Amino acid sequence: MNRRNALKGLGLSIGYTIATPTIISMLQSCKTEADLWVPSFFTMDEGIVLKNLIDLILPKTQNTPGALDVNVPEFLDLYISKTYNELKQKKYKEGVTAIMEALPITEKGVSDLETENYDALLAKYLKISKEQQLAYRAYDDEKDSKNEDAIIFQALDNLRNSSIWAFKTSEQIGENVLAYDPVPGSQKGCIPLNEATGGKAWSL
């Protein structure tokens, strides 16, 4: 299977469009110096905040790299700046702005925020009942009266989903963490996942 074509297909199937070789190479974990990263779409402060949130959503463990190890924040920034139209960028920016306003940012700026601040924000909006999640997902800012909690939830939920997507389709995770077979063999149906892949989800 051609990995580049597979990534394009995945993007289209879940609503993402991978448009250029530059973006594909970023998705495949092209390393950048984190300290030198200058966001294309986000402001520097927004980039710092999102990196901290993404690090908590997909942290590094003893056995697997984290989202920051495979450049998820850098990829999302590039992806949004290159593939989103003006309306989608505007909506995404509104969500990020709501996230920024929900954090206790002082005059010292985002550098004064601590892990507990980010963790509390994620817990408040993502560790809620399924009923409340459904209510927030049904919120439409063009039809309903303004609901800051729904806006923040949708922004964080979108960040989590897109981060997981980018993480799982990166080359490092796809080939070294998930079950990976560059030349698929025979199809074996109706067998336990543990028997098929050792309990791992399949990579592309």
Side-chain angles (χ1 to χ4, degrees):
M1 176 182 289
N2 183 296
R3 185 174 181 84
R4 179 164 298 188
N5 289 335
L7 292 174
K8 289 181 180 178
L10 176 70
L12 291 172
S13 69
I14 62 176
Y16 297 103
T17 303
I18 299 177
T20 68
T22 302
I23 298 176
I24 293 173
S25 65
M26 178 65 79
L27 178 59
Q28 294 177 331
S29 304
C30 177
K31 290 296 181 181
T32 62
E33 291 295 334
D35 293 340
L36 301 179
W37 176 46
V38 178
S40 300
F41 176 73
F42 304 117
T43 66
M44 288 298 294
D45 282 353
E46 289 168 350
I48 292 170
V49 166
L50 293 183
K51 285 189 78 167
N52 279 281
L53 289 171
I54 291 171
D55 190 32
L56 285 173
I57 292 170
L58 291 166
K60 182 177 183 178
T61 70
Q62 185 175 358
N63 299 318
T64 61
L68 302 191
D69 296 314
V70 295
N71 282 10
V72 167
E74 292 89 338
F75 164 70
L76 291 179
D77 173 67
L78 181 61
Y79 181 86
I80 293 168
S81 70
K82 297 295 185 182
T83 69
Y84 278 23
N85 60 33
E86 186 175 345
L87 182 60
K88 289 185 68 175
Q89 286 186 348
K90 180 176 180 292
K91 187 173 179 61
Y92 201 100
K93 181 66 81 168
E94 288 173 352
V96 173
T97 299
I99 290 173
M100 299 291 287
E101 292 176 349
L103 288 166
I105 300 174
T106 67
E107 294 180 355
K108 296 181 180 179
V110 298
S111 60
D112 202 38
L113 291 172
E114 298 182 354
T115 301
E116 290 76 12
N117 301 130
Y118 296 108
D119 197 36
L121 183 70
L122 292 173
K124 179 180 179 180
Y125 288 99
L126 298 184
K127 293 182 179 180
I128 55 178
S129 67
K130 291 184 178 179
E131 292 75 15
Q132 187 62 67
Q133 290 183 40
L134 289 173
Y136 283 157
R137 288 194 177 104
Y139 168 75
D140 187 336
D141 59 356
E142 294 183 359
K143 299 178 181 179
D144 304 323
S145 57
K146 191 169 185 179
N147 185 330
E148 282 295 331
D149 285 333
I151 293 171
I152 295 169
F153 167 81
Q154 289 184 0
L156 290 173
D157 191 44
N158 185 28
L159 179 66
R160 175 177 58 184
N161 291 338
S162 56
S163 296
I164 292 172
W165 166 70
F167 178 76
K168 291 178 69 175
T169 52
S170 68
E171 187 172 31
Q172 184 177 351
I173 299 303
E175 296 187 6
N176 301 322
V177 177
L178 301 177
Y180 176 68
D181 187 354
V183 184
S186 59
Q187 191 272 341
K188 298 179 181 179
C190 300
I191 62 174
L193 184 63
N194 281 336
E195 181 181 337
T197 66
K200 296 179 179 180
W202 278 106
S203 174
L204 288 174

